[in-house]
Amino acid sequence: MKKRIGLMGGTFDPIHLAHLHIAEESRQAFSLAEVLFIPAAQPPHKQGRKIASAKQRIKMVELAIAGNPAFTLNLLEMRRQGPSYSWLTVQELHERLGAEAELYFITGSDSINDLPTWNHAKDLVAACHFIGAARPEVPFDEKLLLDSFGQELRQHIHELQIPRMEISSTLIRQRVAGGKSIRYLVPEKVADYIQKEGLYQ
């Protein structure tokens, strides 16, 4: 049986408890041996928005995942020049991990419906599985997925039902900027780091 590896990509500006919750639920539901947290160097969809430095975002991920032996920081996208396209990341991971690894890309149901617009979308879905954390108000667009990928590749896209957490990086940044507490929204060490670095003020 192939070793199943989860991929948790994102800007992580900052990483928060919902990221960790989705990763852990995915690990259990799909028997993932490991979940790689892959901070994006240049997120294609965040061009033009000021984000925390690569060093700061890496540190926050390190602090957040410490203590879970199944969670690993991966700097593949940080070391690569240009936009952080998931297709390039999956290609590179296949080359590094070999044929014995089966990749599971973890994201939200809203991102699943955007999949057809991703760089090399069809090749990407053929090269790995997708786990979409379900949101009741954003169901999978079945017609769109079937029209875009066909019946065979649609089998690579899985829905994960999990307890809902209304947390986003945008919410965290807004609360910090407004002088509000982010305790219990991010890991304690991440909250301390954000305060120490004066992020999102």
Side-chain angles (χ1 to χ4, degrees), residues 20 32 57 74 82 87 102 147 153 175 195-196 199:
L20 303 175
L32 306 178
R57 291 184 291 116
N74 183 291
W87 163 238
E102 194 170 36
D147 288 349
L153 289 185
R175 288 185 68 87
Q195 183 177 21
K196 186 186 92 174
L199 291 173

Side-chain angles (χ1 to χ4, degrees), residues 17-112:
L17 292 182
H19 290 130
L20 303 175
H21 173 59
I22 291 168
E24 181 66 7
E25 290 285 327
S26 298
R27 185 188 69 77
Q28 291 190 355
F30 291 87
S31 301
L32 306 178
E34 184 180 15
V35 177
L36 306 181
F37 283 74
I38 309 173
Q42 296 180 38
H45 57 296
K46 300 282 174 72
Q47 300 291 344
R49 179 175 78 73
K50 185 178 182 239
I51 60 176
S53 72
K55 180 182 175 184
Q56 290 168 327
R57 291 184 291 116
I58 288 169
K59 185 62 180 177
M60 287 189 282
V61 172
E62 282 181 341
L63 292 169
I65 67 175
N68 188 330
F71 289 177
T72 305
L73 174 65
N74 183 291
L75 299 180
L76 185 155
E77 291 189 356
M78 286 292 183
R79 295 182 179 129
R80 189 173 65 226
Q81 297 295 312
S84 301
Y85 290 119
S86 299
W87 163 238
L88 296 175
T89 300
V90 166
Q91 275 188 306
E92 196 167 333
L93 284 171
H94 272 305
E95 290 169 9
R96 292 186 181 194
L97 300 172
E100 295 309 305
E102 194 170 36
L103 304 181
Y104 283 73
F105 199 107
I106 302 166
T107 186
S109 56
D110 49 348
S111 293
I112 293 293

Side-chain angles (χ1 to χ4, degrees), residues 137-148:
E137 78 279 15
V138 190
F140 282 7
D141 188 332
E142 288 295 342
K143 184 178 186 307
L144 175 70
L145 295 176
L146 283 171
D147 288 349
S148 301

